[in-house]
Amino acid sequence: MEVQEIKVDSLDAKSFIKEKISEIAGIVGNGSAINALSGGVDSSAVTMLGHRALGERLKTLFVDNGIMRHGEPQRVVSLFGELGVPVEIVDAKEQFFDALKGVTDPEEKREAITRVFYKEIFGELVKKSEAKYLLQGTNYTDVEETVAGIKRQHNILEQLGIDTQKQYGYKVIEPLVQLRKSGVREVAKALGLPEELYSRPPFPGPALAARVIGEVTPGRIEIVREATRIVEEELSNTGAFQYLAILHQDKVTGIKEGKRDYGLQIEVRCWESKDAKEGSPTRLPYDVLEKLAARITNEIAGVISVTYNITKKPPSTIEAI
Ligand code: XMP
């Protein structure tokens, strides 16, 4: 692998930022660049670096795929707005839900999301913008996993020998490619991004679709979105690595106002982990668990059962799909 890793211990975030800003400015020259912001730490750091290097010559898009958390697109865009960085929201909800219609297989769901994002939405917007440069938040772990064949990260092109300039007419710039996530967090902090962005718990690329077992529909996303909001409100002070809610496919029998009910199940997971490679469930106090069960069943119509996952990773994974 040609990319030289910069370990977090030897990273000088301030000089790294200076170097990358002048590198980006040098490559793009008088041209323009485009990037997609998701609100994750990688794309947030890249957006800020690009903005510092290029100002208005960077066009930043937030693709609203309809499967983000409660108020997330607006929140992220307003945080960047406060920092003077304009971000345009692209409403692509319909295209994503169309592609997910009837899809229940986990890998097919992931594939559909990646395909819609790159081929139907972002790829087209890049073409229309006539930008000759695409800024991407690829990090060292992405490259390593792709080159090793563990999983093909969608943002890896050049490391696989794909010449984007020849094939697509634009060049990819990856300013974070030498850093792992911990280094990216340092850079994001030094760039003046708010803590809400630089110390965010991990969130998967397929967003809430990774937390719906079975078909992903707008209605089922809304249920898992509400459950996620409650779980995040109740568990954000635990210091856990990641916490999430999953909507199950099977219904279970329950009782409502003295009568038989048949309703949905939400599974809660809360993880202790260093790097997501292994994990153990957090030993949450029982009253916290009881409060979660009460809030989720009271506040979300149709949900009558809440479970807490007590499995380690492995054999479980952190997400459900
Ligand atoms: P798993 O479920 O594989 O997750 O134990 C490990 C970590 O990776 C996150 N994750 C993803 N992140 N795209 C991502 O960008 C994905 O498709 C994806 N799947 C899982 C997960 O949230 C956890 O932190």
Side-chain angles (χ1 to χ4, degrees):
M1 200 189 308
E2 281 174 32
V3 181
Q4 189 78 39
E5 179 184 359
I6 301 174
K7 296 224 158 94
V8 68
D9 310 332
S10 53
L11 170 70
D12 175 347
K14 287 238 160 77
S15 35
F16 178 90
I17 290 167
K18 235 170 139 183
E19 212 175 279
K20 292 297 158 188
I21 288 175
S22 85
E23 225 174 88
I24 296 168
I27 296 172
V28 178
N30 294 323
S32 61
I34 189 164
N35 80 314
L37 170 67
S38 70
V41 65
D42 302 331
S43 69
S44 295
V46 159
T47 300
M48 207 58 198
L49 280 173
H51 174 75
R52 294 256 192 102
L54 307 171
E56 284 180 0
R57 285 178 299 121
L58 175 69
K59 187 179 178 71
T60 299
L61 304 173
F62 189 110
V63 176
D64 183 355
N65 53 17
I67 50 178
M68 303 299 275
R69 285 168 290 188
H70 186 77
E72 197 163 17
Q74 294 72 20
R75 176 77 190 146
V76 173
V77 170
S78 103
L79 284 172
F80 274 88
E82 283 165 28
L83 297 165
V85 185
V87 182
E88 193 183 311
I89 296 187
V90 178
D91 182 356
K93 297 198 261 305
E94 217 177 293
Q95 287 98 318
F96 279 91
F97 282 120
D98 277 352
L100 288 164
K101 209 174 262 172
V103 181
T104 53
D105 178 79
E107 290 304 311
E108 284 178 23
K109 270 185 213 172
R110 285 171 189 271
E111 198 277 324
I113 292 165
T114 306
R115 175 171 40 84
V116 174
F117 182 82
Y118 278 99
K119 292 214 173 122
E120 290 183 25
I121 312 292
F122 194 57
E124 288 302 311
L125 292 166
V126 174
K127 267 192 226 156
K128 258 195 223 148
S129 78
E130 293 179 359
K132 291 280 174 284
Y133 298 92
L134 172 67
L135 280 174
Q136 280 213 145
T138 321
N139 67 38
Y140 192 77
T141 313
D142 296 336
V143 177
E144 206 176 45
E145 288 186 350
T146 302
V147 174
I150 296 172
K151 63 177 172 182
R152 179 179 170 150
Q153 292 282 350
H154 53 225
N155 50 2
I156 302 290
L157 297 165
E158 304 209 330
Q159 283 75 19
L160 293 172
I162 296 169
D163 183 338
T164 55
Q165 186 123 47
K166 261 199 197 140
Q167 289 197 6
Y168 308 118
Y170 58 77
K171 192 161 173 41
V172 177
I173 306 175
E174 299 169 315
L176 306 175
V177 76
Q178 292 170 279
L179 305 175
R180 290 189 191 268
K181 197 69 108 190
S182 47
V184 179
R185 288 192 199 278
E186 293 285 314
V187 167
K189 187 176 177 184
L191 279 165
L193 290 169
E195 188 172 359
E196 187 179 331
L197 289 178
Y198 72 72
S199 67
R200 263 189 164 199
F203 188 65
L208 296 175
R211 299 171 181 179
V212 170
I213 302 174
E215 191 182 7
V216 178
T217 62
R220 288 169 62 71
I221 284 288
E222 194 47 41
I223 291 168
V224 87
R225 180 181 284 131
E226 278 307 290
T228 302
R229 183 178 58 79
I230 296 168
V231 166
E232 291 190 350
E233 278 170 19
E234 296 298 330
L235 302 184
S236 64
N237 61 357
T238 55
F241 176 79
Q242 207 170 344
Y243 29 83
L244 51 129
I246 294 158
L247 173 63
H248 280 234
Q249 189 165 22
D250 292 337
K251 288 184 165 187
V252 288
T253 301
I255 310 166
K256 195 175 174 187
E257 289 155 8
K259 286 202 184 116
R260 182 183 185 275
D261 195 8
Y262 192 53
L264 300 167
Q265 306 184 67
I266 290 286
E267 174 189 329
V268 176
R269 297 185 183 185
C270 184
W271 293 102
E272 299 301 313
S273 177
K274 274 208 175 75
D275 51 13
K277 285 189 183 141
E278 293 184 341
S280 319
T282 305
R283 294 188 171 213
L284 291 174
Y286 217 86
D287 54 352
V288 172
L289 292 170
E290 280 184 339
K291 188 164 180 209
L292 280 171
R295 283 198 63 192
I296 291 170
T297 50
N298 288 333
E299 293 176 32
I300 310 174
V303 177
I304 58 169
S305 171
V306 177
T307 57
Y308 184 56
N309 192 310
I310 50 169
T311 321
K312 290 190 179 193
K313 175 183 177 176
S316 177
T317 54
I318 288 186
E319 303 289 346
I321 73 156

